[in-house]
Amino acid sequence: MELYRGALGADADQALEVAVAHAMLRQVSEGDAGAGVRIYRPSGRVVAFGRRDTLLPGFRDAVRAVRDAGFTPVVRAPGGRAVAYTERSLVVDHVGPDPGYLSGMEERFTGYAELWADVLRKHGVEAQIGAVPGEYCPGAHSVNARGRVKLVGTAQRLVRSAWLFSAVVIVDDTEVLRPLLTEVYRLLDLPFDDDSVGSVVDESPGLELDALEAEVIATYDDRYGLEPSPLPEDLLSRARDLAADHRVG
């Protein structure tokens, strides 16, 4: 399995950044590439909306609030509702072939939620699997702390012969994310409780992002055996073609 590590650059177009996962999925679906995982720290502050969010009456006002807060709005590749993250977060996009289209979805949700919970428990976090009341982008396979605050959100996208599983880990910056998510969900008129927003550092003070990222890579490597590689030019070219699909005008 290929491992692609790192953001595209300090001044990267955030729509292109999320388009890479879409491009990875397309390549696997079309038989042009095998399974791969990309692990990166965002180079900017982002609110990634779900496709359904863009259809809501308050979407444009929410986008305006996102930009006013210094975040970049994008439309994410997998499903779900709006998520917000900063440079103090970790994003993992994992793609693989699936000849049995729609098979294995529940197993992936459960398996990767357990993987993330195990990683966090090693650092003293009381990690559990399941949604907490009023969380952003609610899902039964979120990873939370103490049944109170969400730390890791997971989502999937399935296409013919391939799947994408994405996870966003909030490592820090809850004081920035909490008020912004409150405003975004208010404008979208979606349920939300700001007490549900948490971070890994809140639960495990002193844990460094470097250490957590290394732990995640080691966990994936133990399970799959990773081959570190730079992002191929054909993948980046495909992502550039798809970036417009993820850009908010």
Side-chain angles (χ1 to χ4, degrees), residues 53 83 123-124 232 239:
D53 296 330
V83 300
H123 294 281

Side-chain angles (χ1 to χ4, degrees), residues 150-205:
K150 181 170 183 170
L151 303 180
V152 184
T154 61
Q156 292 195 61
R157 181 173 178 181
L158 306 178
V159 298
R160 187 182 183 121
S161 303
W163 50 265
L164 162 66
F165 188 95
S166 293
V168 177
V169 189
I170 304 303
V171 181
D172 204 350
D173 288 340
T174 50
E175 73 283 356
V176 175
L177 297 173
R178 188 175 289 120
L180 177 58
L181 283 167
T182 299
E183 183 66 0
V184 166
Y185 274 74
R186 182 187 71 80
L187 292 167
L188 294 177
D189 196 24
L190 294 172
F192 180 70
D193 182 348
D194 63 353
D195 286 340
S196 67
V197 181
S199 76
V200 176
V201 168
D202 289 343
E203 303 297 321
S204 181

Side-chain angles (χ1 to χ4, degrees), residues 82-190:
V83 300
Y85 49 86
T86 72
E87 303 89 341
R88 298 285 296 163
S89 301
L90 199 61
V91 179
V92 179
D93 294 317
H94 186 180
V95 297
D98 184 6
Y101 183 53
L102 296 183
S103 67
M105 184 174 184
E106 183 67 21
E107 290 81 0
R108 280 189 295 274
F109 266 129
T110 301
Y112 290 117
E114 291 173 348
L115 179 154
W116 282 107
D118 287 344
V119 166
L120 294 176
R121 287 173 190 141
K122 289 179 182 179
H123 294 281
V125 178
E126 191 180 325
Q128 303 174 15
I129 297 170
V132 298
E135 70 176 24
Y136 59 91
C137 192
H141 301 91
S142 299
V143 179
N144 69 71
R146 302 171 284 107
R148 300 288 301 276
V149 293
K150 181 170 183 170
L151 303 180
V152 184
T154 61
Q156 292 195 61
R157 181 173 178 181
L158 306 178
V159 298
R160 187 182 183 121
S161 303
W163 50 265
L164 162 66
F165 188 95
S166 293
V168 177
V169 189
I170 304 303
V171 181
D172 204 350
D173 288 340
T174 50
E175 73 283 356
V176 175
L177 297 173
R178 188 175 289 120
L180 177 58
L181 283 167
T182 299
E183 183 66 0
V184 166
Y185 274 74
R186 182 187 71 80
L187 292 167
L188 294 177
D189 196 24
L190 294 172

